[in-house]
Amino acid sequence: MNFPYRPEQASNFAMDYDALFFTISALTAIFTLMVMVLCIWLISKYKRGKDADRSNPVHHNTMIELVWSLISLVLGMGIFTWGSKIFIEMRQPPANAMEIFVVGKRWMWHIQHANGIRENNELHVPVGQPVKLTMISQDVIHAFYIPQFRVQYHVVPGRYTMLWFTATKAGKYNLFCSMHCGTQHSEMGGYVYAMERPDWQRWLASGGNRYKPVPETMVAAGEQLYKDFSCSNCHKDVDDMRAPSLNGLFGRKRTFNDGTSMIADQEYIRQSLLNPGLNVVKGYNVTMQPYTFSEEQILAIGEYLRTKGTATSEAAQSVNPAVINTAIPAGNAGGNR
Amino acid sequence: MIQEATKPQVFSDTEGHAEKNYLNAGHTLASWLLTKDHKRIAVMYLISVSIFFLVGSIAAMMIRLELTSPRGTLMSSETYNKTFTAHGVVMIFLFLIVAIPGVFGNFLIPLMIGARDLAFPRLNLASLYAFWIGGIMATIALLSGGVDTGWTFYTPMSSMYSNGNVTLTLVGAFIIGFSSIFTGVNFIATIHKMRAPGMTWWRMPLYVWSHYSTSVIILLGTPVVAITLLLVVVERVLHIGIFSPELGGDPVLFQHMFWFYSHPAVYIMILPAMGVISEVMSCFSRNKVFGYQMVAMSSMGIAALGFVVWGHHMFIASQSMYQGIVFSLLSFLVAIPSAIKVFNWTLTMYKGSVWLASPMVYALGFIGLFTLGGLTGLYLACVGTDVHLTATYFVVAHFHYVMVGGTLLAFLAALHFWWPKMFGRMYPEAIAKWNAVVVFIGFNVTFLPQFVVGYMGMPRRYHFYYFAPEFQIYHVMSTLGSSVLAFGLIMPAFYLTKSLISGPKAPANPWGAKGLEWEACTSPPDKHNFHGIPVVVGDVYDYNAEEEELRLKGLAPQMVTKDDKVKFI
């Protein structure tokens, strides 16, 4: 059986942090053992009925008490100073930090890169580059937490908060919302991908979830919206924990949590976009926000879903080669709250 | 001939057992519900908090069972959130804050200082009714529909977004606050004005000292949280913007006001527990508490410093960096009085005659768990380490070590220590003693793994963790431990209830303890506590371990009986 005891050290703070963490752990262990050993020794020595020298009992000894307090005070001040040093570093991002914007909403993280790339519940960052997150919530208080980076900070409605780090190791790390924010709180998370710079450049070049100009066919426009709103971050090619796959959805019978069922058609797709809580596929919770799309957009999404996961979708992609547009897209960022 | 150490009846006779006492002074329901007797009110508090504890424990077991699987199996996320909220609200507002003051504070303070009752008996009854009304309101709210905000009620979720019975729960908590305030006023007035002749401040048992400092915190803190909860109701019902930015309010303001009470509230929960431990350590070591005055003053120090550390709950909540550092510094200072206490309790055994009776085993368990609970507080008081650990299972483990390992074990120690006094019956000592060991082991198996999984990054209040399956092993260990703990907590309900029916009758002073409640009144006490006004002539905790040992060997005269020792006017 595997007992991992430490999250990976994947940021500039992790080493310092763990050094302090294990120093306090050592002190905790020493003091706990000391109290336990003292207790056991005193019990075994002065147990009732056991012969021991009990004459002239000591009822107080100010010197010992002061020394004990002073030792606690000095060690405490040492930890305080070391911890404050780390904290001050955590609260002051370097000037060359790359800024990324984060919007928390029940129950997803929306990430907005300055160059136009948008991501939901995913954050791609290059290794070795200080990254500064400017964060705000659209509704309740959330908290942005990456255990492997040892960083965590509240995301508050009505004001911006800041968090920064430099990823030091390529990998996929947990992203959690750590402030209880309601029903789907434990699923408001995803992953942070720290990538070596060439990989990250490639990711950038491939567009990430990058906005593309409005294509001509409805299928392509729907696909564009599907990508713009990062539907595929939850609706993957196969059913997963978070959401069902939409491949080959159109015309298929869907069974819902309340036992009813429906054939997936345009109307169903429209309802599901505007009111995701109405018909929830059996086995899932409502994690999706209602979206405010125009009717044209809904139709386009429906047309796209009609072809998604079939041979036609490959054809649609081949006639519409990916065009990279560096402009920051206008318009709705996602949910309507 | 050494007396068998497992038998609590130091005296073979049951002379001190009273056939006519406060329990059988009236048998009608009205004689209980309308009583002004502090002892009867304490018994009603004991029954009430036990029921609420059961409710909170069932919620805890549901949470633990659900977390054995990374994706849950028993309940929906909504139900899960309502369950942990119910666990928190019931355990904190309806058990921890009330348990020791309501039961043992009410029962013992007049007995310990030689008074016939509390200063305001009617107010005392009113506090019980306020507790009942608030407690029933909150319970109804939590069971019918529920609340999913967590016990902390952070805004704007509680005031704007949550659909549960938030208003009813908050009004319930508001009313319970009055129960607390009534009790605090009563204790302060009683301790100041009703001490028996000769009972000077420095002759008061440490249990009374700890209640004195607790009452000061209650009076200064509770009104603040009461008004805060009311403001949430105002925003929720009338949409007057106070905490919600949508209405022009400030969401972080709530946290300042909430923690201004709720951090000192931690000391409301732990200080009476510390008082219990002082009494038990002293009695079962047959020694005066080491550094008695220092322990008393450290209670007052904790009460004072406890009010200036609330910001350590908000290191990452968008307060300024400098504020974080100052609150961190102050939090380290409040650790020192607690360190003094642990040190002094342990040294109380030095040159004592240590009797490992069941209350003592619980108390020793307290010292072990509270030490670890207190030391893990350093990680959280330290602003740098708190950043990663706050809102993870590390915090959950830390406060359970202090609140369950601390307050609950002290509650059990108190229950076993004063049970013969309260009900005049003895319980099976051997079972009780081993049960304390079961509780200690079950507790550690439950909560030690949570420190690790918290450091690994498991956030608290998470229903699912399928995205980090490495957490599962620790959750399974924790759940296994919690079933052992549950067994250890159910056992006393059986053997204590059985003792009421068929337990041997207890003498006035089965433990050979010092103090007016043992030496000057019967078990159970008379309706008016004492037959006259006791006069205190000796020092507090005037145990003599050397003489006690000689007595055990039959080389010294048996302890003098109450009539020779205590004088009455």
Side-chain angles (χ1 to χ4, degrees):
Chain A
M1 221 177 277
N2 190 17
F3 290 93
Y5 70 97
R6 181 170 81 180
E8 265 184 86
Q9 297 179 321
S11 83
N12 57 323
F13 300 120
M15 299 282 268
D16 270 3
Y17 181 92
D18 285 357
L20 176 55
F21 182 90
F22 286 107
T23 305
I24 306 177
S25 300
L27 285 176
T28 302
I30 290 168
F31 276 84
T32 308
L33 277 177
M34 228 171 76
V35 171
M36 282 174 72
V37 166
L38 192 63
C39 275
I40 291 167
W41 178 68
L42 287 170
I43 292 167
S44 57
K45 179 145 193 211
Y46 295 106
K47 199 167 176 216
R48 180 178 153 96
K50 199 165 175 185
D51 284 323
D53 177 18
R54 293 183 173 87
S55 57
N56 307 318
V58 189
H59 292 316
H60 64 96
N61 185 326
T62 315
M63 200 57 208
I64 284 191
E65 287 171 278
L66 279 180
V67 168
W68 173 260
S69 310
L70 273 177
I71 292 174
S72 316
L73 183 67
V74 169
L75 289 174
M77 287 305 102
I79 299 169
F80 160 74
T81 312
W82 189 351
S84 300
K85 195 176 147 278
I86 293 178
F87 185 67
I88 290 168
E89 203 186 328
M90 283 176 166
R91 299 314 304 151
Q92 293 179 331
N96 65 342
M98 178 174 86
E99 190 168 15
I100 298 176
F101 301 90
V102 174
V103 179
K105 55 185 107 170
R106 305 208 293 175
W107 289 278
M108 71 190 312
W109 291 108
H110 177 71
I111 313 267
Q112 170 79 61
H113 294 258
N115 61 1
I117 291 182
R118 291 156 179 244
E119 311 182 65
N120 283 344
N121 297 321
E122 287 183 0
L123 171 61
H124 290 76
V125 293
V127 166
Q129 164 72 48
V131 172
K132 175 189 167 191
L133 303 180
T134 298
M135 311 183 290
I136 192 161
S137 165
Q138 215 168 269
D139 37 52
V140 304
I141 298 174
H142 302 282
F144 197 90
Y145 179 33
I146 311 167
Q148 288 88 349
F149 290 0
R150 313 286 189 278
V151 291
Q152 179 174 205
Y153 213 80
H154 280 193
V155 179
V156 183
R159 68 172 70 163
Y160 291 105
T161 57
M162 183 279 297
L163 177 158
W164 83 275
F165 56 81
T166 306
T168 52
K169 193 169 150 193
K172 180 181 174 188
Y173 307 111
N174 291 112
L175 162 60
F176 294 135
C177 171
S178 53
M179 171 52 74
H180 179 59
C181 57
T183 312
Q184 300 291 307
H185 165 59
S186 63
E187 292 179 279
M188 180 172 167
Y191 297 97
V192 175
Y193 296 88
M195 307 164 100
E196 295 298 345
R197 195 167 276 276
D199 294 334
W200 187 69
Q201 297 287 8
R202 259 194 296 282
W203 177 79
L204 274 187
S206 78
N209 298 307
R210 183 173 294 217
Y211 181 83
K212 298 185 192 85
V214 178
E216 289 170 13
T217 67
M218 272 179 84
V219 173
E223 183 181 17
Q224 193 59 64
L225 283 163
Y226 196 81
K227 285 178 179 165
D228 286 351
F229 288 89
S230 304
C231 304
S232 60
N233 274 355
C234 297
H235 297 285
K236 303 245 167 26
D237 282 332
V238 288
D239 290 4
D240 81 348
M241 298 297 194
R242 177 174 280 273
S245 164
L246 301 182
N247 282 3
L249 165 76
F250 218 85
R252 203 191 283 168
K253 188 174 161 193
R254 292 290 233 191
T255 310
F256 307 119
N257 268 336
D258 59 2
T260 61
S261 62
M262 205 171 176
I263 301 291
D265 56 9
Q266 277 286 7
E267 180 58 31
Y268 165 72
I269 289 164
R270 185 176 182 280
Q271 279 182 12
S272 300
L273 284 168
L274 297 179
N275 189 355
L278 194 61
N279 294 312
V280 183
V281 176
K282 201 169 174 58
Y284 290 91
N285 293 311
V286 203
T287 322
M288 190 167 147
Q289 283 276 329
Y291 282 77
T292 45
F293 285 113
S294 67
E295 294 293 338
E296 289 86 343
Q297 287 171 316
I298 295 172
L299 282 167
I301 292 170
E303 286 303 291
Y304 169 63
L305 289 180
R306 190 190 286 274
T307 64
K308 185 167 161 49
T310 66
T312 333
S313 68
E314 270 83 43
Q317 277 184 354
S318 65
V319 296
N320 180 40
V323 180
I324 294 165
N325 187 338
T326 49
I328 294 168
N332 197 329
N336 68 339
R337 296 202 78 149
Chain B
M1 199 45 206
I2 295 170
Q3 199 163 351
E4 210 185 322
T6 50
K7 290 261 172 63
Q9 291 93 333
V10 182
F11 312 112
S12 51
D13 63 295
T14 52
E15 243 173 57
H17 185 85
E19 293 305 333
K20 200 162 154 32
N21 56 55
Y22 81 99
L23 288 171
N24 57 24
H27 291 288
T28 59
L29 191 62
S31 77
W32 280 90
L33 293 180
L34 299 177
T35 185
K36 295 189 284 292
D37 184 343
H38 66 103
K39 300 183 289 301
R40 285 198 158 195
I41 292 172
V43 171
M44 289 190 279
Y45 261 116
L46 177 61
I47 296 165
S48 323
V49 298
S50 302
I51 292 168
F52 286 129
F53 183 75
L54 182 68
V55 173
S57 302
I58 290 170
M61 286 315 290
M62 284 165 69
I63 295 167
R64 284 299 352 144
L65 284 175
E66 181 73 348
L67 286 175
T68 52
S69 156
R71 208 180 149 71
T73 42
L74 300 175
M75 48 179 112
S76 67
S77 291
E78 198 182 336
T79 312
Y80 179 83
N81 296 346
K82 288 174 176 173
T83 307
F84 74 66
T85 305
H87 171 67
V89 169
V90 169
M91 286 302 200
I92 288 172
F93 293 115
L94 302 178
F95 181 77
L96 286 170
I97 288 181
V98 191
I100 297 183
V103 181
F104 300 105
N106 268 328
F107 194 90
L108 292 169
I109 287 177
L111 291 177
M112 282 181 163
I113 63 170
R116 288 201 185 277
D117 206 320
L118 286 170
F120 312 114
R122 284 184 185 82
L123 193 65
N124 196 17
L125 187 63
S127 88
L128 177 67
Y129 277 92
F131 176 64
W132 277 348
I133 293 167
I136 288 168
M137 277 174 80
T139 313
I140 288 173
L142 295 167
L143 296 181
S144 71
V147 179
D148 71 345
T149 58
W151 79 274
T152 44
F153 298 106
Y154 267 25
T155 53
M157 186 161 135
S158 61
S159 62
M160 301 291 288
Y161 286 85
S162 176
N163 294 321
N165 293 332
V166 179
T167 306
L168 191 60
T169 314
L170 290 176
V171 173
F174 180 80
I175 295 170
I176 296 165
F178 277 93
S179 160
S180 251
I181 293 170
F182 293 163
T183 304
V185 169
N186 225 338
F187 286 178
I188 289 182
T190 308
I191 294 168
H192 266 279
K193 304 304 290 181
M194 297 183 64
R195 282 171 288 127
M199 177 58 80
T200 61
W201 284 92
W202 291 123
R203 277 179 180 172
M204 285 196 325
L206 286 169
Y207 184 74
V208 179
W209 267 108
S210 70
H211 264 299
Y212 184 72
S213 43
T214 306
S215 303
V216 171
I217 301 176
I218 288 175
L219 288 194
L220 294 177
T222 314
V224 178
V225 80
I227 204 70
T228 311
L229 299 182
L230 211 57
L231 287 176
V232 175
V233 173
V234 164
E235 179 165 282
R236 201 178 157 81
V237 178
L238 305 176
H239 297 286
I240 294 172
I242 298 156
F243 303 121
S244 170
E246 286 167 49
L247 303 174
D250 179 354
V252 183
L253 174 67
F254 172 83
Q255 294 171 40
H256 281 288
M257 295 172 76
F258 180 80
W259 289 116
F260 181 81
Y261 164 79
S262 292
H263 190 75
V266 173
Y267 301 115
I268 296 178
M269 302 174 214
I270 197 70
L271 277 171
M274 290 171 158
V276 169
I277 300 307
S278 297
E279 297 301 312
V280 173
M281 288 304 290
S282 171
C283 168
F284 293 94
S285 303
R286 293 291 188 257
N287 222 341
K288 186 169 176 165
V289 175
F290 189 87
Y292 163 84
Q293 291 200 357
M294 198 80 141
V295 175
M297 281 299 104
S298 68
S299 291
M300 299 305 285
I302 288 173
L305 279 174
F307 273 104
V308 291
V309 298
W310 79 90
H312 69 214
H313 295 267
M314 303 166 60
F315 284 152
I316 63 159
S318 84
Q319 65 182 3
S320 98
M321 181 180 85
Y322 302 101
Q323 225 174 331
I325 291 169
V326 170
F327 277 121
S328 176
L329 178 70
L330 292 166
S331 304
F332 274 98
L333 296 183
V334 83
I336 290 163
S338 304
I340 293 174
K341 284 184 185 250
V342 169
F343 181 70
N344 286 9
W345 290 323
T346 310
L347 282 192
T348 300
M349 292 186 285
Y350 179 66
K351 291 202 170 185
S353 165
V354 180
W355 180 10
L356 292 176
S358 51
M360 182 66 165
V361 182
Y362 278 109
L364 288 167
F366 171 100
I367 292 182
L369 301 180
F370 180 76
T371 303
L372 192 54
L375 285 165
T376 50
L378 296 182
Y379 297 84
L380 306 170
C382 174
V383 62
T385 38
D386 184 68
V387 168
H388 167 63
L389 297 171
T390 188
T392 68
Y393 265 77
F394 193 95
V395 171
V396 175
H398 161 70
F399 68 68
H400 280 87
Y401 261 84
V402 180
M403 297 287 95
V404 184
T407 307
L408 183 64
L409 255 72
F411 179 80
L412 288 170
L415 197 59
H416 287 81
F417 187 40
W418 283 294
W419 184 266
K421 180 54 64 183
M422 289 179 86
F423 298 104
R425 299 278 185 169
M426 298 309 300
Y427 48 84
E429 167 66 13
I431 296 176
K433 189 155 49 174
W434 285 106
N435 191 62
V437 178
V438 171
V439 169
F440 183 80
I441 293 171
F443 179 86
N444 278 304
V445 179
T446 309
F447 292 103
L448 268 178
Q450 295 187 4
F451 282 120
V452 185
V453 80
Y455 174 52
M456 294 283 294
M458 170 84 193
R460 68 192 282 203
R461 296 171 170 177
Y462 257 34
H463 182 207
F464 297 145
Y465 53 93
Y466 52 80
F467 28 75
E470 67 270 22
F471 296 159
Q472 188 173 13
I473 182 78
Y474 298 107
H475 280 299
V476 171
M477 281 163 70
S478 189
T479 303
L480 285 177
S482 69
S483 37
V484 177
L485 182 58
F487 174 79
L489 294 177
I490 290 170
M491 279 300 283
F494 287 110
Y495 65 71
L496 290 178
T497 310
K498 186 171 173 291
S499 87
L500 287 181
I501 304 156
S502 59
K505 285 177 178 165
N509 191 358
W511 312 112
K514 302 285 178 179
L516 290 178
E517 85 270 30
W518 299 110
E519 294 176 287
C521 58
T522 52
S523 293
D526 187 68
K527 194 176 175 212
H528 297 292
N529 297 352
F530 306 102
H531 295 295
I533 298 169
V535 180
V536 182
V537 287
D539 207 1
V540 66
Y541 307 126
D542 51 347
Y543 293 102
N544 187 332
E546 207 175 12
E547 208 180 289
E548 171 87 6
E549 287 293 320
L550 291 174
R551 200 176 297 127
L552 278 171
K553 291 174 185 154
L555 297 176
Q558 284 300 306
M559 202 176 271
V560 284
T561 58
K562 63 186 172 71
D563 294 331
D564 305 323
K565 177 72 195 303
V566 183
K567 291 185 173 57
F568 293 99
I569 293 174

